[in-house]
Structures are given as structure tokens and as C-alpha cells.
Amino acid sequence: MLGILAILLLVVPIVEVAVIVAVGRTIGGWPTLGLLLLESAIGAWVVQREGGRAWQALRSALRTGRMPARELTEGILVLVGGTLLLTPGFVSDVVGFFCVLPFTRPVARRMLEGAIRRRLLGRSVTTIRTPRQRPGAGTHPDAADDIIEGEVL
């Protein structure tokens, strides 16, 4: 995990600069700067609006006494997306808008939940079956004694 983060910290800035230079060569330097500033301004406005909505949803869930898992995930996505939108670069802006916009955030939320689920299930309690016990063959009188529960580290 730490190795992947180190690689991303090296590769992402290089990709961002390459894309900015390519766009600058295509449309010119000043229009590129203007486009980056416009994306940041629009991103700040969207983050403010969606962040407020996520905060209200979180407060509502807490007021009604239900677990705010979805609301917390939405808030995390808005926070990460907002950070990416305020970072100069076209690639980070695309990913940031993907995390923040209300019509793409559900897809990002499912991806985040899937990643968290895979990470957590890798460390869950596992049931180990002995060779004598087949799935569905619970009729053996000693079948309950053959289950060994353990934690995968």
C-alpha cells in the first residue's frame, strides 16, 4: 500500500504537467490558465453546495437515530473530490468532479464501498472445514466438533 502511494505521488504530478502542457500547446497558455481557474471556481461552488447537502443528510440521519454509513461515505467523497478540484490540473479535476457531482457520486460511492469491503473481508473470521465434512452434510453426529473458527491475519 505504501509503495503504491509513493508511485502515485511521483506519477500523478508528471501526468498532470504533461496534460497541462498538451492543453497549453493546443489552445494556448492564457486560455489554459483561464480554464484551470474556471474549473477551480466551478469546483469550489459545487463542493460548497454538495458539502452542505451531505452535512444536512448526516445531521438528519443522526437526529433520527439511524447509522449514517451512506452519509459519511458521501461526505468523504465530497471532501476528497473538493481537495482534488482545488489542486491545479485537469486529471485531478476530472477525478474530483467524479467524486463530487451528484449524478456520478453514487458510482464513486459503490467503488469506495467495494474497496473497503474487500479490504475488511480479507481479515474476517473464517470457517475451516475438515475433509470429513462436506458443505450441506450436517447430519454427522460429530459435525459441530469439526468446525474450527479462526481469524486470518
Side-chain angles (χ1 to χ4, degrees), residues 5 20-21 24 31-32 62 72 98 110 113 116-117 120 124 129 141-142 145:
L5 184 62
I20 290 172
V21 168
T32 300
L62 291 173
L72 287 172
F98 183 73
R110 283 192 295 274
E113 288 171 350
I116 291 171
R117 190 173 296 117
L120 291 178
S124 65
R129 299 184 189 279
D142 296 334
D145 296 335

Side-chain angles (χ1 to χ4, degrees), residues 71-143:
E71 290 79 6
L72 287 172
T73 307
E74 297 260 337
I76 290 169
L77 286 171
V78 170
L79 179 67
V80 169
T83 303
L84 290 171
L85 285 169
L86 295 177
T87 304
F90 294 110
V91 177
S92 61
D93 286 345
V94 168
V95 176
F97 278 121
F98 183 73
C99 291
V100 171
L101 291 174
F103 52 88
T104 56
R105 194 169 52 237
V107 176
R109 186 182 66 245
R110 283 192 295 274
M111 290 170 60
L112 177 62
E113 288 171 350
I116 291 171
R117 190 173 296 117
R118 281 189 304 275
R119 180 95 172 153
L120 291 178
L121 288 180
R123 298 185 177 160
S124 65
V125 175
T126 306
T127 302
I128 301 172
R129 299 184 189 279
T130 61
R132 224 175 45 176
Q133 181 185 8
R134 296 179 315 275
T139 58
H140 190 276
D142 296 334

Side-chain angles (χ1 to χ4, degrees), residues 1-2 9 12 15 21 27 32 38 43 46 51 54 61 63 70 77 105 114 118 122 124 131-132 139 141 146 150 153:
M1 180 71 178
L2 192 57
L9 287 174
V12 170
V15 170
V21 168
I27 66 172
T32 300
L38 180 66
V46 171
R63 244 192 329 264
R70 179 179 178 163
L77 286 171
R105 194 169 52 237
R118 281 189 304 275
S124 65
R132 224 175 45 176
T139 58
D146 293 337
L153 300 175

